[in-house]
């Protein structure tokens, strides 16, 4: 059945298959079917050139298609992979974004715990015992707490 399909459609069967895969990528995006569709179109282009050659059997075409699809999928993954940090690396790490900032203690730090107000949030702080009103600098973030020292 597969051999008769290849002989009936000729090299255009690869083009049709490639276009169907590219259309399927539009319906279910994931940037995966693009590479398989591209491999089918490349095999179709080779088939246009080599269709009459004795060695260009449908079995060889399938093997080359499978190999090319794998190579293109890995190359595409490498090309489109995440290339480094975001332009806002602390976007979802709010406590870490406070490191280096200074604030005034709202509550004194007693037994290592206190509170400051930065931006629109009250932050629990950890640090040396200090009276209320002291300027402190945030030196690190530890979960929801920030560690401070006298500024």
């Amino acid at each position: 059945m597969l051999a008769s399909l290849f002989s009936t459609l000729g090299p255009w069967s690869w083009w049709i298959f490639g276009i169907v895969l590219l259309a399927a990528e539009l319906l279910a995006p994931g940037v995966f079917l693009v590479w398989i569709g591209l491999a089918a179109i490349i095999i179709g282009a080779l088939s246009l050139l080599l269709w009459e050659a004795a060695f260009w059997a449908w079995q060889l075409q399938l093997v080359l298609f499978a190999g090319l699809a794998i190579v293109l999928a890995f190359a595409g993954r490498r090309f489109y992979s995440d290339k480094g940090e975001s332009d806002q690396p602390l976007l979802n790490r709010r406590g870490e974004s406070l490191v280096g900032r200074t604030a005034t203690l709202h509550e004194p730090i007693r037994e290592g715990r206190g509170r400051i107000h930065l931006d629109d949030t009250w932050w629990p702080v950890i640090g040396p015992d200090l009276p209320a009103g002291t300027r402190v600098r945030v030196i690190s973030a530890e979960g929801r707490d920030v560690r401070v020292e006298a500024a």
Side-chain angles (χ1 to χ4, degrees), residues 16-75:
I16 293 168
F17 183 53
I19 290 171
V20 167
L21 286 172
L22 293 176
E25 178 68 35
L26 291 174
L27 297 174
V31 191
F32 182 71
L33 293 176
V34 168
W35 309 115
I36 300 172
L38 185 60
I41 290 173
I42 291 171
I43 295 297
L46 287 173
S47 291
L48 284 174
L49 298 173
L50 302 172
W51 191 255
E52 299 298 326
F55 67 89
W56 194 248
W58 67 270
Q59 295 93 340
L60 177 64
Q61 293 174 39
L62 284 177
V63 169
L64 288 176
F65 166 71
L68 189 58
I70 290 170
V71 167
L72 288 175
F74 279 117

Side-chain angles (χ1 to χ4, degrees), residues 43-136:
I43 295 297
L46 287 173
S47 291
L48 284 174
L49 298 173
L50 302 172
W51 191 255
E52 299 298 326
F55 67 89
W56 194 248
W58 67 270
Q59 295 93 340
L60 177 64
Q61 293 174 39
L62 284 177
V63 169
L64 288 176
F65 166 71
L68 189 58
I70 290 170
V71 167
L72 288 175
F74 279 117
R77 181 178 176 168
R78 184 178 188 107
F79 181 73
Y80 282 108
S81 68
D82 189 24
K83 292 182 171 114
E85 284 290 316
S86 166
D87 59 341
Q88 296 179 1
L90 300 175
L91 180 64
N92 292 322
R93 294 185 263 167
R94 194 163 174 209
E96 291 177 32
S97 70
L98 301 175
V99 174
R101 297 204 34 205
T102 58
T104 304
L105 278 175
H106 176 68
E107 294 177 3
I109 299 178
R110 288 191 197 120
E111 299 177 9
R113 312 250 342 137
R115 228 167 50 147
I116 59 172
H117 185 102
L118 270 172
D119 298 330
D120 61 347
T121 306
W122 293 98
W123 291 90
V125 297
I126 302 169
D129 290 350
L130 296 168
T134 305
R135 295 289 293 171
V136 292

